[in-house]
DNA sequence: GCCGTTTTCGGCCCGACTGTTTTCAGTCG
């Protein structure tokens, strides 16, 4: 028996099971900010940020790891003795003493300064130490009075940029739905591609990785004339202001509030630049480390052996130079994709063309804009072979939700139309609310008549975790429920999802043979990529649905596909890629 | 603060741009 074994057992049981991974993420991020302002070792700061990110991506809860005999936090990459102890302290007390001490030394307002573009930890610290500025209001006053400009290392331009930054502080750091970013990016790319000097133009960054939200936009252009593309973007009607411009890089702010980098590289560097600017940062760090190990250097211009470029025209070349096959952008998050690439076990990711069914959509019977016949026609046009019409149950009164009688009449109408339709199977379904008291919104005898029941949370999302769990587990145990839709109920950037033990929910779904939905709507994308991967690992059939409320709403399927690709899903992992005859077997009671 | 068949110390990815400098620190991605 080792001393460590005794220690590990000692604290167990005292842990607060309500600790969320996100609590630890927030504390580690704040510690990183505070330490950075204090001028701590940058690698120490990075250790906190890395740990925060790893924990944010973790498919299981730290509380559960702590409560499981034989599991150690230190087995998580990036978590050592010190951070492991801090997590235990957070589990027991909700905070760590170090955080409280640092908060006393560095006022909140100083941390807030980090959100202003152009202000980093060093300048924020100087403003605090030299001018005793502790709030954004004080900062504004000091910048206006000329005090800031007089400070060593600052000047007129810095003061001016701080005032501008303050005006945008609200917007800064806010992220945009991928779908909204698309409407800004694609027109600018199209215009760039029309320039005679431009050979290639592509969006890189989190946009190319198809993240749910995009913080800023990275445009990569190959051209023998760097001025022309930069001039085009600077004068583009979607652009508000040029923030910085050099020989190869220009940063602008769009009228929509988001910032865009435009980088111009020569053709022979295109692959290296695309790889480099697609990121993620963490993925690239590993790639560059691999290069170092091979005596190479990777930058945005190519892969170099000494001064000789040995690769760079294509991404494939760059990956090959570090001993890897090409990795799809959606996977580039350093979540194991590099190891899988090395082992030759990268998944063949699902594509839009694989989809054959859509099991979640609405009609004019509730809050949809199109009739049953119109939705069926729209689905056929999009090549779907089977769909489920799933209007709301009565609890969703705002959407004119259906009670038992209206639902039965609705099904009768669907049945009549499907009898006259060929080339597509149509299921009489329902999106049944899981009520606050953990019962379902429709009685079992009604649900038993449905071809397809997808159960969802809409109301009472702020209930305590225990009650949410009760609701989800009850729904999963109901024999008529086939799938759980938009699991957490989150609306990205607007409302967090319900608190739950996702591992436990997924295990129950696996045990009871239920499917889990990726809701493809750009504001939902729920279950998320990490959750979908966890569900896949448990053998749960995943479905990707549009939740369409109109015929055009069927087109959001692509966003769900991208989310699934980020989860590393193949067509086999997704149930509604199967032909109808195969899918039908999953519906057997 | 983490990490390790070049281990328990000494590393930790790399470059562009800006503003304030007089050769570079800070910020950003």
């Amino acid at each position: 028996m080792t001393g460590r074994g005794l220690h590990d057992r000692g604290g167990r049981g005292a842990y607060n099971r309500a600790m969320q991974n996100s609590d630890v993420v927030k504390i580690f991020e704040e510690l990183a900010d505070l330490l950075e302002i204090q001028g701590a070792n940058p690698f120490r700061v990075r250790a906190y940020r890395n740990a925060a990110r790893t924990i944010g991506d973790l498919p299981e809860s730290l509380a559960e790891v702590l409560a499981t005999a034989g599991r150690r936090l230190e087995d998580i990459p990036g978590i050592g003795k010190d951070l492991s102890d801090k997590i235990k302290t957070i589990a027991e007390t909700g905070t760590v003493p170090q955080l409280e001490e640092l908060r006393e030394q560095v006022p909140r307002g100083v941390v807030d300064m980090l959100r202003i573009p152009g202000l980093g930890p060093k300048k924020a610290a100087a403003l605090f130490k030299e001018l005793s500025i502790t709030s954004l209001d004080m900062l504004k006053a000091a910048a206006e009075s000329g005090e800031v400009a007089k400070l060593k290392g600052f000047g007129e331009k810095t003061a001016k940029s701080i005032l501008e930054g303050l005006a945008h502080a609200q917007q800064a750091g806010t992220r945009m739905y991928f779908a909204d970013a698309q409407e800004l990016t694609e027109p600018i790319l199209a215009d760039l591609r029309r320039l005679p000097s431009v050979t290639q133009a592509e969006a890189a960054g989190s946009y190319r990785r198809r993240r749910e939200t995009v913080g800023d936009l990275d445009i990569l252009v190959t051209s023998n004339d760097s001025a022309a593309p930069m001039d085009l973007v600077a004068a583009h009607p979607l652009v508000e202001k040029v923030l910085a411009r050099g020989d190869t890089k220009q940063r602008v702010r769009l009228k929509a509030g988001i910032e865009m980098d435009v980088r111009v590289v020569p053709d022979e560097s295109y692959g290296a630049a695309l790889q480099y600017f697609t990121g993620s940062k963490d993925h690239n760090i590993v790639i560059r480390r691999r290069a170092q190990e091979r005596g190479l250097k990777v930058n945005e211009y190519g892969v170099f052996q000494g001064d000789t470029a040995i690769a760079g025209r294509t991404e494939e070349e760059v990956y090959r130079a570090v001993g890897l096959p090409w990795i799809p952008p959606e996977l580039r998050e350093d979540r194991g994709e590099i190891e899988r690439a090395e082992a030759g076990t990268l998944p063949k990711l699902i594509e839009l063309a694989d989809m054959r069914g859509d099991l979640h959509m609405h009609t004019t019977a509730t809050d949809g804009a199109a009739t049953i016949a119109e939705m069926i026609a729209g689905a056929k046009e999009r090549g779907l072979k089977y769909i489920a019409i799933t209007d709301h149950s009565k609890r969703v009164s705002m959407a004119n939700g259906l009670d038992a009688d209206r639902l039965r009449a609705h099904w009768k109408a669907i049945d009549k139309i499907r009898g006259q339709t060929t080339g597509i199977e149509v299921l009489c379904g329902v999106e049944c609310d899981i009520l606050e008291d953990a019962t379902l919104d429709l009685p079992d005898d009604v649900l038993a008549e449905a071809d397809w029941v997808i159960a969802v949370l809409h109301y009472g999302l702020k209930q305590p975790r225990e009650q949410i769990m009760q609701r989800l587990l009850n729904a999963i145990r109901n024999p008529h429920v086939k799938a759980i839709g938009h699991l957490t109920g989150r609306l990205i950037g607007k409302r967090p999802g319900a608190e739950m033990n996702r591992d436990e929910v997924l295990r129950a779904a696996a045990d009871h043979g239920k499917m889990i939905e990726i809701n493809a709507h750009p504001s939902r994308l729920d279950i998320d990529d990490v959750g979908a991967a966890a569900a896949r690992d448990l053998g749960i059939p995943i479905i990707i649905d549009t939740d369409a409320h109109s015929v055009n709403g069927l087109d959001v399927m692509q966003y769900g596909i991208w989310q699934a690709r980020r989860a590393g899903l193949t067509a086999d992992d997704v149930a509604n890629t199967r032909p109808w005859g195969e899918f039908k077997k999953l519906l057997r009671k």
Side-chain angles (χ1 to χ4, degrees):
Chain A
M1 177 80 56
T2 65
R4 170 175 285 153
L6 283 171
H7 172 82
D8 277 355
R9 273 219 310 254
R12 209 158 269 152
Y15 297 131
N16 175 7
R17 292 293 300 272
M19 176 182 72
Q20 298 280 304
N21 288 8
S22 58
D23 300 335
V24 180
V25 170
K26 274 185 215 136
I27 289 171
F28 282 3
E29 278 173 352
E30 189 176 350
L31 279 171
D33 283 343
L34 289 163
L35 286 168
E36 205 170 19
I37 290 167
Q38 288 211 324
N41 175 354
F43 295 106
R44 189 177 161 211
V45 172
R46 203 165 82 191
Y48 279 100
R49 294 203 197 285
N50 278 344
R53 175 184 158 275
T54 303
I55 292 165
D57 285 344
L58 213 60
E60 59 186 345
S61 76
L62 293 171
E64 185 150 325
V65 174
L66 277 173
T68 307
R71 302 286 314 273
R72 286 161 20 104
L73 292 171
E74 279 138 290
D75 293 335
I76 302 169
I79 310 284
K81 176 84 178 74
D82 184 272
L83 293 183
S84 165
D85 285 346
K86 285 198 168 65
I87 293 169
K88 286 176 191 164
T89 306
I90 294 167
E92 286 160 6
T93 69
T95 183
V96 281
Q98 192 194 7
L99 176 66
E100 307 303 321
E101 284 164 30
L102 284 167
R103 277 178 175 167
E104 302 220 337
Q105 294 163 21
V106 183
R108 182 71 226 173
V110 182
V111 180
D112 290 341
M113 289 183 207
L114 300 180
R115 290 209 315 271
I116 298 169
L119 275 192
K122 293 289 193 318
K123 286 205 162 85
L127 291 163
F128 173 47
K129 283 188 192 130
E130 306 296 326
L131 298 177
S132 304
I133 292 172
T134 57
S135 74
L136 296 185
D137 286 340
M138 288 172 74
L139 177 62
K140 182 160 187 274
E144 283 169 345
S145 74
E147 264 189 291
V148 169
K150 278 185 282 189
L151 208 55
K152 183 162 177 264
F154 291 65
E156 290 295 341
K157 289 198 173 174
T158 306
K160 186 162 170 272
S161 120
I162 286 173
L163 285 172
E164 281 185 21
L166 278 166
H168 287 93
Q170 285 307 99
Q171 268 179 350
T174 64
R175 298 176 68 91
M176 173 178 280
Y177 291 148
F178 174 84
D180 292 335
Q182 220 178 359
E183 294 184 5
L184 303 170
T185 306
E186 296 305 325
I188 293 177
L189 281 177
D191 291 344
L192 281 168
R193 287 173 186 141
R194 275 194 285 273
L195 279 180
S197 62
V198 167
T199 43
Q200 300 173 91
E202 199 51 74
S206 54
Y207 184 91
R208 184 158 177 256
R209 303 200 311 278
R210 304 300 189 230
R211 290 272 312 257
E212 301 165 352
T213 61
V214 176
D216 61 7
L217 297 164
D218 293 282
I219 303 290
L220 184 65
V221 179
T222 56
S223 171
N224 50 21
D225 165 20
S226 71
M230 288 201 227
D231 288 344
L232 182 145
V233 172
H236 199 279
L238 289 170
V239 171
E240 179 181 284
K241 187 174 192 281
V242 176
L243 300 174
R245 177 164 176 165
D247 292 337
T248 64
K249 174 180 160 182
Q250 174 176 256
R251 189 166 181 85
V252 300
R253 183 162 54 232
L254 302 188
K255 287 169 183 164
I258 199 168
E259 292 180 7
M260 174 182 274
D261 278 345
V262 180
R263 292 169 162 103
V264 186
V265 299
D267 261 321
E268 59 270 24
S269 297
Y270 179 69
L274 190 58
Q275 195 285 325
Y276 192 94
F277 294 121
T278 297
S280 68
K281 187 177 171 164
D282 300 286
H283 175 90
N284 284 357
I285 286 174
V286 180
I287 295 298
R288 296 198 284 268
R289 197 180 294 141
R290 287 181 68 95
Q292 272 191 335
E293 288 163 11
R294 289 165 171 74
L296 304 171
K297 187 177 73 169
V298 176
N299 60 26
E300 61 263 56
Y301 300 109
V303 182
F304 294 87
Q305 192 155 40
D307 291 333
T308 314
I310 60 161
R313 190 170 284 275
T314 67
E315 281 194 325
E316 284 81 355
E317 279 181 20
V318 174
Y319 281 102
R320 199 181 308 130
V322 295
L324 295 173
W326 182 81
I327 298 173
E330 293 94 331
L331 295 180
R332 300 183 195 171
E333 300 290 347
D334 188 25
R335 290 183 191 157
E337 74 279 6
I338 292 165
E339 293 77 3
R340 282 196 289 275
E342 180 144 47
T345 57
L346 279 177
K348 182 182 182 315
L349 299 180
I350 184 171
E351 292 172 14
L352 182 60
D354 295 323
M355 297 308 294
R356 292 197 169 97
D358 187 350
L359 289 312
H360 189 163
M361 66 186 66
H362 298 268
T363 71
T364 49
T366 59
D367 58 348
T371 62
I372 300 166
E374 287 166 344
M375 292 305 286
I376 292 173
K380 273 183 78 170
E381 273 173 34
R382 285 160 181 77
L384 293 176
K385 300 299 180 198
Y386 53 98
I387 61 171
I389 305 281
T390 54
D391 275 297
H392 288 288
S393 58
K394 64 182 190 298
R395 174 68 175 85
V396 193
S397 51
M398 217 172 60
N400 195 22
L402 305 169
D403 61 19
D405 289 345
R406 287 181 57 220
L407 181 58
R408 284 183 167 125
H410 186 44
W411 284 341
K412 211 166 183 177
I414 296 169
D415 192 44
K416 187 173 173 196
I417 296 173
R418 71 179 172 184
Q420 303 156 357
T421 306
T422 55
I424 188 165
E425 296 291 334
V426 181
L427 300 179
C428 290
V430 63
E431 178 182 14
C432 183
D433 259 62
I434 307 168
L435 301 179
E436 288 95 322
D437 67 359
T439 63
L440 290 171
D441 198 15
L442 289 160
D444 274 358
D445 63 314
V446 178
L447 296 179
E449 294 168 27
D451 300 325
W452 173 255
V453 177
I454 184 161
V456 300
L457 299 173
H458 277 128
Y459 296 98
L461 295 177
K462 288 183 183 163
Q463 282 184 331
R465 183 181 164 92
E466 293 70 29
Q467 183 60 18
I468 297 286
M469 290 302 291
Q470 196 61 52
R471 293 168 72 184
L472 288 169
L473 295 177
N474 271 2
I476 286 168
R477 289 186 202 113
N478 185 296
H480 309 300
V481 169
K482 298 285 188 281
I484 302 294
H486 50 70
L487 178 66
T488 73
R490 71 168 180 170
L491 290 177
I492 297 168
K494 293 192 169 67
R495 142 184 121 194
E499 279 198 14
M500 67 185 67
N501 180 338
R502 189 170 64 190
D503 309 333
E504 198 181 331
V505 173
L506 293 181
R507 275 199 302 270
D511 289 345
H512 290 83
K514 307 297 166 157
M515 306 184 204
I516 294 287
E517 176 188 72
I518 293 177
N519 189 291
H521 195 277
S523 68
R524 289 196 183 269
L525 297 173
D526 183 13
I527 196 168
D528 68 14
D529 50 353
V530 175
R536 185 265 326 273
D537 290 343
L538 287 166
I540 296 172
I542 290 157
I543 49 174
I544 309 176
D545 297 328
T546 62
D547 200 353
H549 284 68
S550 66
V551 174
N552 285 337
L554 294 166
D555 292 326
V556 301
M557 185 63 89
Q558 178 70 72
Y559 300 106
I561 299 294
W562 280 323
Q563 183 79 317
R565 289 172 63 88
R566 291 182 51 75
L569 301 192
T570 66
D572 279 347
D573 296 325
V574 176
N576 51 332
T577 62
R578 301 182 192 174
W580 168 243
E582 294 285 314
F583 186 83
K584 194 166 58 174
K585 293 177 191 163
L586 295 173
L587 300 180
R588 284 196 197 130
K589 302 241 158 94

